[in-house]
Amino acid sequence: MEKDEREVAGVRCVEQTRIRRLNERVGEEVEIRGWLYNKRSSGKIHFLILRDGSGLAQAVVARGRVDEETFDLCGRLSQESSVIVRGVVREEPRAPGGHELELKDLRVVQMAEDYPIKLKEHGVDFLMDNRHLWIRAPRQGAILRIRAEIIRAIREYLDAGDFVHVDTPLLTPAACEGTTTLFETNYFEDKAYLAQSGQLYNEATIAALGRVYCFGPAFRAEKSKTRRHLIEFWMVEPEAAFCDFEENMAIQEGLITHVVRSVLGNRKADLDLIERDTGPLEKVEPPFPRITYDEALDRLRNSGRDIRWGDDLGAPDETEISGQFDRPVFVTHFPAVMKAFYMKPDPGRPEVVLGADLLAPEGYGEIIGGGERIDDLATIERRMKEHGLPEETYRWYTDLRRYGSAPHSGFGLGIERTVAWVCGLEHVRESIAFPRMLYRVYP
Ligand code: 4AD
Ligand code: MG
């Protein structure tokens, strides 16, 4: 097979030619391995639209320019057949990707059976049943590449900020985010739960490493069927020792700004492909506005919503508030009664906590939850009692307040909600290759 020699991360290596790099090969004969996405034909000429995962390219073949057998084969090629195509690269501004191949040779690796997803509109249930095929659509590919860029940028930012990546367990003996959404599983003679968050373990590793983050799947048996909820989602959770509530928000501002700039800078073609209006993303610059929970209630009441102090902000409330700002907005100082047991009460007003949610603009709502943690033993023990959490299971966690406790803060950023916002998606289901949703675990 034909190879393309280039440098990857400073090392010379041999690679296959990819469509995304055709601009470097104008005038040369190359070999592209991929799938037939679409085809336009007249009696005299075929246009084959190929995809290889990096982009789309058009291969053109006119009758008489190749042998008759190859020309006929091009005409018979079915949607999603896997092929190896040789051709000469030339610039063609009207073609997808800006280049086209003058086809010299075609090898069919497998002639696809009648492909269920036609190039027309389909219903969401049908597409979800065929998610294993739907991900091949150019739009879905672009979203998955943007997701990968978001994750790359997150890690780049945290690594540069001296946060050490630590993996936290997925099988856990106890709850982090409330006992009502736990997935239970057998652990030999015992019970264990799928992790809802790595935070409690991060609170231990900061005493070893200072600043850490975990990045993994989180599981919540939430009976929520909304456009923002998944049963299994991915979360990055930074945690830092000697870090207060304000500093924690500054880290979030920096992280989100870097993520958005990275996608704008490195994934412009994909944003164009999915027709994302980048205007709102270009406005994402620190500082982000901060409003308290009390101010949020005033704003909601002013826009006609009936909400009482102590009520959680629902998705429509968050949509209303985030729609009032042109950049992400922090909502701070929530009532302690509605938040997790570990959140630190505000010393000046103990009925509220030093916790903040970051709401994404354009009505997207919460993408981050975080805040300062209780660092004193008596308070954490009291809060755990109030939440009915068994002392024995959390003994290791309270130890952290016995041996060198320090003020500390952290947060959790949901990847799928961030992807949904950055890509302007209607629903989180498209933000991950295989979403796990209420009543859907296939494919
Ligand atoms: O607000 P949450 O529940 O916070 C925690 O889990 C903390 N332990 C994080 C921390 O401080 N280390 O979840 C954090 C974020 C949410 O803002 C949201 O983006 C995402 O995780 N998230 C979900 N995403 C998709 N589906 C769900 N069911 C989600 N639940 C939370
Ligand atoms: Mg939350």
Side-chain angles (χ1 to χ4, degrees):
M1 279 189 187
E2 205 215 53
K3 299 286 161 76
D4 186 5
E5 202 179 299
R6 65 191 189 96
E7 213 163 82
V8 177
V11 182
R12 293 271 343 138
C13 65
V14 169
E15 285 229 322
Q16 300 187 354
T17 305
R18 304 207 79 209
I19 287 172
R20 178 169 108 77
R21 309 184 73 88
L22 283 182
N23 60 330
E24 297 166 13
R25 306 293 300 272
V26 175
E28 294 174 45
E29 187 171 315
V30 300
E31 194 173 88
I32 292 293
R33 285 140 288 248
W35 296 266
L36 183 77
Y37 171 63
N38 196 4
K39 185 179 67 181
R40 285 180 292 125
S41 293
S42 71
K44 291 193 289 253
I45 192 159
H46 300 302
F47 296 94
L48 308 179
I49 316 293
L50 305 170
R51 49 168 207 88
D52 72 348
S54 75
L56 292 176
Q58 167 171 292
V60 188
V61 55
R63 169 163 271 150
R65 302 299 295 261
V66 292
D67 59 66
E68 204 51 21
E69 203 181 320
T70 305
F71 186 81
D72 288 345
L73 188 57
C74 289
R76 289 200 317 272
L77 211 52
S78 55
Q79 188 188 347
E80 288 304 316
S81 289
S82 41
V83 293
I84 299 174
V85 168
R86 293 192 68 82
V88 176
V89 184
R90 57 178 184 225
E91 284 183 47
E92 172 48 73
R94 287 167 303 173
H99 297 85
E100 67 178 16
L101 291 182
E102 189 191 333
L103 187 137
K104 300 280 178 206
D105 184 42
L106 166 77
R107 265 196 292 149
V108 179
V109 179
Q110 193 246 336
M111 186 71 91
E113 294 177 22
D114 189 27
Y115 192 62
I117 304 183
K118 310 288 184 232
L119 299 174
K120 57 157 200 165
E121 293 277 311
H122 287 282
V124 166
D125 278 334
F126 174 80
L127 290 171
M128 288 304 296
D129 286 340
N130 287 285
R131 183 65 180 164
H132 54 298
L133 304 176
W134 185 25
I135 49 176
R136 300 182 187 190
R139 177 182 166 82
Q140 299 303 316
I143 295 167
L144 292 176
R145 284 189 296 266
I146 293 170
R147 176 189 171 103
E149 174 62 20
I150 287 172
I151 292 173
R152 192 201 63 74
I154 288 171
R155 300 189 56 133
E156 179 176 72
Y157 187 81
L158 294 173
D159 292 343
D162 242 8
F163 285 81
V164 181
H165 178 216
V166 176
D167 297 309
T168 51
L170 299 184
L171 285 167
T172 62
C176 176
E177 294 300 320
T179 47
T180 54
T181 63
L182 286 172
F183 268 109
E184 194 177 291
T185 178
N186 290 330
Y187 197 84
F188 307 104
E189 311 295 284
D190 278 330
K191 294 240 172 296
Y193 307 96
L194 299 185
Q196 298 164 309
S197 157
Q199 179 198 321
L200 305 188
Y201 294 96
N202 279 346
E203 290 184 63
T205 55
I206 51 166
L209 299 160
R211 302 176 127 197
V212 302
Y213 66 97
C214 62
F215 201 148
F219 306 89
R220 308 245 174 123
E222 261 176 296
K223 293 235 158 129
S224 303
K225 201 172 175 184
T226 76
R227 60 192 189 92
R228 306 176 176 181
H229 283 88
L230 293 172
I231 302 303
E232 175 184 294
F233 63 97
W234 287 72
M235 180 159 60
V236 61
E237 295 181 273
E239 190 78 24
F242 302 102
C243 172
D244 68 13
F245 180 55
E246 285 296 329
E247 209 180 327
N248 192 43
M249 286 192 284
I251 296 166
Q252 296 173 46
E253 276 170 349
L255 175 64
I256 295 298
T257 305
H258 178 68
V259 164
V260 170
R261 282 184 191 163
S262 299
V263 174
L264 287 171
N266 300 329
R267 286 287 161 205
K268 182 72 174 73
D270 286 322
L271 290 169
D272 288 347
L273 193 154
I274 64 174
E275 296 177 322
R276 173 62 160 125
D277 172 10
T278 56
L281 296 178
E282 275 146 24
K283 295 202 184 104
V284 176
E285 287 291 330
F288 299 165
R290 290 148 166 69
I291 61 169
T292 62
Y293 171 84
D294 289 11
E295 286 171 59
L297 289 200
D298 287 343
R299 284 174 179 266
L300 289 169
R301 288 180 187 134
N302 285 341
S303 59
R305 304 191 84 87
D306 178 28
I307 184 164
R308 267 169 307 177
W309 199 89
D311 288 349
D312 205 349
L313 303 184
D317 304 317
E318 289 180 1
T319 300
E320 171 61 36
I321 291 168
S322 67
Q324 296 180 5
F325 296 87
D326 69 351
R327 60 186 78 188
V329 52
F330 287 107
V331 180
T332 68
H333 299 88
F334 288 90
V337 286
M338 56 178 266
K339 285 291 184 185
F341 73 94
Y342 51 71
M343 292 215 178
K344 184 170 180 159
D346 183 344
R349 201 188 154 202
E351 70 277 18
V352 299
V353 289
L354 299 177
D357 282 357
L358 183 66
L359 311 186
E362 299 172 80
Y364 275 90
E366 180 191 341
I367 53 170
I368 292 181
E372 193 166 338
R373 324 301 192 186
I374 294 169
D375 52 77
D376 127 86
L377 183 61
T379 314
I380 199 81
E381 284 183 335
R382 182 171 47 78
R383 290 292 283 151
M384 288 170 60
K385 231 182 225 115
E386 285 165 12
H387 281 251
L389 301 175
E391 229 178 289
E392 264 324 292
T393 329
Y394 289 86
R395 175 77 198 185
W396 68 270
Y397 184 70
T398 49
D399 265 359
L400 307 172
R401 278 79 182 160
R402 286 187 187 91
Y403 309 114
S405 189
H408 63 286
S409 304
F411 61 93
L413 167 72
I415 298 300
E416 290 72 22
R417 290 192 191 171
T418 305
V419 173
W421 161 49
V422 170
C423 293
L425 308 180
E426 231 171 80
H427 196 294
V428 284
R429 66 182 158 233
E430 286 181 64
S431 65
I432 183 166
F434 294 98
R436 304 288 87 149
M437 304 192 300
L438 190 60
Y439 311 129
R440 175 177 287 282
V441 68
Y442 176 91

